[in-house]
Amino acid sequence: MNNNNYNTIIIGGGAAGFFTAINLAEQSQNHKIAILERGKDVLQKVRISGGGRCNVTHAQFEPKPLSRNYPRGEKELLGPFHSFMTGDTISWFEERGVELKIEEDGRMFPISNSSQTIIDCFISLARKHKIDILTSQNVASIEKTDHWKLKTKTDTFTSNNLVVAAGSSPKV
Ligand SMILES: Cc1cc2nc3c(=O)[nH]c(=O)nc-3n(C[C@H](O)[C@H](O)[C@H](O)COP(=O)(O)OP(=O)(O)OC[C@H]3O[C@@H](n4cnc5c(N)ncnc54)[C@H](O)[C@@H]3O)c2cc1C
C-alpha cells in the first residue's frame, strides 16, 4: 500500500466528513482512512455555526416533528431519524466527553458555549484513530475501476471505498 492508498477516502472535512470518519474508525480495525479537504482548514462551518456556539441538535425526541423542521428534507430525513435521533446525538457527544445543554427554546449547545469544543472533539478523535486529515486537496476528478481513483492538483489517491461529504458544493 503506498502512502496515497486508503481503505476509505472521505471527500470533505466538514461535520459530516469527520463524523463518518470517526464512526468508521471506531467500528473497524486497521482501516486506513483519509479526509480530503479543499480548504486550508477543516470544520470551518462548524466554527461559525450557531453564532460561534454550534447548535448541535434540538430537544425534540420524536422523528416526525423533528423532520418537519427541514422544509426541503422532511421526507428524506424521516428514515434516517428512525436510525439515529436526537438522543443518539446527545449520547454520542457525551460518551466522547462533550456535554450539551438545552436552552429555553429547545436548541442544544455544548455547555462551553463554544463551537471550538466540537472542533476539538472531532480533531482529537481523528488523531486518536490516525485518520489522515489532508487539507488544500480539492478533488477535481473521480474514476472508478476496481478501486476509486481521485485526483487533486498535486496528488493522486486510491481507495476501496469512497464517501462524498462535500456539503452543498455543486461540483462533486
Ligand atoms: C452561518 C451558518 C451557521 C450555521 N449554523 C448551524 C448550526 O448552528 N447548527 C447546524 O446544525 N447547522 C448549522 N449550519 C448549517 C451547517 O452548514 C451544516 O449543518 C454543516 O456544516 C454541514 O456539514 P457538512 O459536513 O455536510 O458540510 P460542510 O461543512 O459544508 O463541509 C463540506 C466540506 O467539503 C469540502 N469540499 C467541497 N468540495 C470539495 C472537493 N471537491 N474536494 C475536497 N473538499 C471539498 C468543503 O470545503 C467543506 O469543508 C450553519 C450554516 C451557516 C452557513
Side-chain angles (χ1 to χ4, degrees), residues 47-100:
R47 188 176 302 283
I48 58 168
S49 67
R53 296 198 298 146
C54 192
N55 183 185
V56 176
T57 186
H58 199 85
Q60 168 56 260
F61 297 92
E62 295 292 327
K64 201 146 196 164
L66 185 65
S67 72
R68 285 197 202 109
N69 290 297
Y70 298 87
R72 292 183 304 280
E74 182 178 345
K75 240 171 73 192
E76 290 76 8
L77 284 168
L78 198 54
F81 282 163
H82 279 281
S83 307
F84 197 91
M85 253 304 277
T86 313
D88 301 306
T89 305
I90 297 167
S91 307
W92 195 94
F93 280 103
E94 242 172 39
E95 284 159 16
R96 290 155 186 85
V98 177
E99 210 182 316
L100 304 178

Side-chain angles (χ1 to χ4, degrees), residues 16 24 77 89 98-99 103 105 118 122 128 130 153 159 165:
L24 182 58
L77 284 168
T89 305
V98 177
E99 210 182 316
E103 301 210 327
D105 57 6
I118 304 299
F122 282 155
K128 176 180 159 192
K130 301 191 175 10
K153 209 172 176 180
S159 75

Side-chain angles (χ1 to χ4, degrees), residues 9-14 18 34-45 132-141 150-154 157 164-172:
I9 286 181
I10 293 160
I11 303 177
F18 271 81
I35 295 174
L36 303 186
E37 166 56 47
R38 70 178 168 191
K40 287 203 177 94
D41 209 353
V42 291
L43 298 167
Q44 287 305 294
K45 267 198 201 153
D132 284 349
I133 303 168
L134 306 172
T135 53
S136 302
Q137 295 285 3
N138 185 3
V139 176
S141 77
L150 285 71
K151 283 190 180 165
T152 67
K153 209 172 176 180
T154 51
F157 299 87
V164 179
S168 53
S169 172
K171 280 195 179 169
V172 176

